[in-house]
Amino acid sequence: MPINMAVFDGNAFDEAAMIRAIDQRPYKPNMLDQIIQFEPVPVTTDVVGIKGSAGKISLIQTTERGAPIEIAEPDTKNVRHLKIPRVAKGDKLYAHELANLSPGMNETEEMAVARVIDRKQGKLIDDVEMTEEHMRLGALSGIVLDADGSEIINYYSEFGVTPPSAIDLQLDDATQTIGQIRQDVGSLLVQPIARASGAGNNPRFGIHAVCGDGFWYALTGHPAIAKTYEGYAAAAALRDEQLWTSFFFAGVTWWHYRGSDDGSSIAITSDKAKVFPVGVPGMFQHVMGPANEMLSLIGQEGRRYYPFLEMDQSQKRQWAQPEIYAYPLFVNGRPDLVLEATV
């Protein structure tokens, strides 16, 4: 007997069951999340206050035991209230698609249909995660854009910061020595970021760069650096690392950035690199907003994803529609610390 739409009347497809199932799905970080490790911040409101800070570390005057202590002054003058956007997509499963679906061995009808729903949800999650990687790159670059190219948020204008000018490392000059390149990277990139970050001796502090294809090959193929990179790459090959890998040089971990396969939807401009610190508290955050447009979820903290199953409510019952919702705001609280290097 063929499976029909009545299979969705069971508890396996209710809201709670679907949320439990997606919570058990392992999250696989995309490249920027691996490198930057945006701090997850679940919230209960769809508007959040974000503070841009110079992040300075100050000395504390010593005091006698029992004496009044120094109190930090509240800094509320640079708080911006930002609305958390929604990312959502659905994919219909039509009744006729179930006509030739048969449960496998030791499988019920519900399990067979759940397998189809899970496959459709997996594709939806892939689209959401690609969208979020696009947003992460936008946050890193200071301006988060929507899929149509419109602006979601501009962290430079929000915090009154002038975008730093691009820094030319002159990697197209084959006469440069490794010492000259190392000095330029240190004086023009590493030291300004480290000093402005106020991170002090934080052991988690480090400086990374994500590179476009042209920049990566200009850096690793430069006559002064090629031998150093070849030795590093040979060791990486022994570790079975992939083409899209990293190279530590002059105090910076340089990453060959892999975005979207079309090389344009999510990409670093080929001859450029974004250079930035990691380990600066609160600089990069992934704010996860709540699904407070659904009555059953009002008042709950945000999650990474929300799965739903929308049913055809007409008498025809022609379709079921798996949906994925996410409410991500990727924050860059210090856009001034992200510098752009060029070939």
Side-chain angles (χ1 to χ4, degrees), residues 294-313:
M294 288 77 171
L295 282 172
S296 59
L297 296 174
I298 286 178
Q300 296 185 20
E301 280 192 340
R303 295 170 175 266
R304 188 175 293 276
Y305 311 119
Y306 290 90
F308 293 97
L309 190 65
E310 185 75 14
M311 298 298 300
D312 180 5
Q313 297 299 319

Side-chain angles (χ1 to χ4, degrees), residues 183-256:
Q183 181 176 342
D184 285 348
V185 171
S187 62
L188 300 176
L189 297 171
V190 174
Q191 292 173 6
I193 291 174
R195 288 169 179 163
S197 71
N201 295 318
N202 184 342
R204 291 187 61 249
F205 181 82
I207 295 177
H208 292 244
V210 287
C211 310
D213 292 343
F215 187 99
W216 173 262
Y217 293 123
L219 174 69
T220 58
H222 191 280
I225 298 175
K227 287 186 178 179
T228 301
Y229 173 70
E230 286 168 6
Y232 191 96
L238 293 175
R239 297 192 296 268
D240 196 29
E241 293 184 359
Q242 299 177 351
L243 170 67
W244 313 100
T245 186
S246 62
F247 170 50
F248 184 81
F249 172 72
V252 178
T253 302
W254 306 87
W255 294 84
H256 187 190

Side-chain angles (χ1 to χ4, degrees), residues 65-322:
R65 290 165 178 77
I69 65 171
E70 181 180 342
I71 304 297
E73 295 184 6
D75 181 9
T76 58
K77 61 185 178 182
N78 206 18
V79 174
R80 297 293 182 273
H81 291 91
L82 307 176
K83 188 173 179 61
I84 301 172
R86 182 184 77 172
V87 176
K89 190 174 183 179
D91 184 7
K92 278 188 171 66
L93 172 65
Y94 290 95
H96 69 81
E97 296 181 65
L98 302 179
N100 297 317
L101 181 66
S102 300
M105 186 178 296
N106 300 321
E107 192 177 46
T108 65
E109 289 187 353
E110 279 190 347
M111 293 167 65
V113 174
R115 181 162 35 88
V116 177
I117 294 292
D118 185 65
R119 185 164 59 245
K120 285 184 174 290
Q121 280 191 332
K123 292 179 180 178
L124 294 173
I125 289 173
D126 287 345
D127 287 350
V128 171
E129 289 182 348
M130 182 177 180
T131 302
E132 290 186 341
E133 181 75 352
H134 183 249
M135 289 178 163
R136 290 186 194 98
L137 182 56
L140 177 65
S141 302
I143 303 174
V144 181
L145 300 178
D146 215 331
D148 63 1
S150 60
E151 193 173 284
I152 295 176
I153 183 170
N154 185 322
Y155 286 110
Y156 292 116
S157 59
E158 286 291 341
F159 296 126
V161 174
T162 301
S165 300
I167 296 167
D168 185 0
L169 293 181
Q170 301 180 54
L171 295 175
D172 52 356
D173 180 0
T175 66
Q176 281 211 100
T177 66
I178 192 169
Q180 289 173 318
I181 298 172
R182 185 182 289 114
Q183 181 176 342
D184 285 348
V185 171
S187 62
L188 300 176
L189 297 171
V190 174
Q191 292 173 6
I193 291 174
R195 288 169 179 163
S197 71
N201 295 318
N202 184 342
R204 291 187 61 249
F205 181 82
I207 295 177
H208 292 244
V210 287
C211 310
D213 292 343
F215 187 99
W216 173 262
Y217 293 123
L219 174 69
T220 58
H222 191 280
I225 298 175
K227 287 186 178 179
T228 301
Y229 173 70
E230 286 168 6
Y232 191 96
L238 293 175
R239 297 192 296 268
D240 196 29
E241 293 184 359
Q242 299 177 351
L243 170 67
W244 313 100
T245 186
S246 62
F247 170 50
F248 184 81
F249 172 72
V252 178
T253 302
W254 306 87
W255 294 84
H256 187 190
Y257 181 68
R258 179 178 183 177
S260 54
D261 288 337
D262 63 8
S264 58
S265 300
I266 306 174
I268 302 288
T269 304
S270 183
D271 64 345
K272 293 180 169 56
K274 298 289 184 182
V275 188
F276 56 92
V278 296
V280 177
M283 178 172 172
F284 294 111
Q285 299 179 48
H286 174 187
V287 178
M288 296 181 287
N292 55 6
E293 58 184 305
M294 288 77 171
L295 282 172
S296 59
L297 296 174
I298 286 178
Q300 296 185 20
E301 280 192 340
R303 295 170 175 266
R304 188 175 293 276
Y305 311 119
Y306 290 90
F308 293 97
L309 190 65
E310 185 75 14
M311 298 298 300
D312 180 5
Q313 297 299 319
S314 73
Q315 291 184 350
K316 297 176 183 178
R317 299 199 73 185
Q318 291 181 315
W319 51 263
Q321 180 170 287

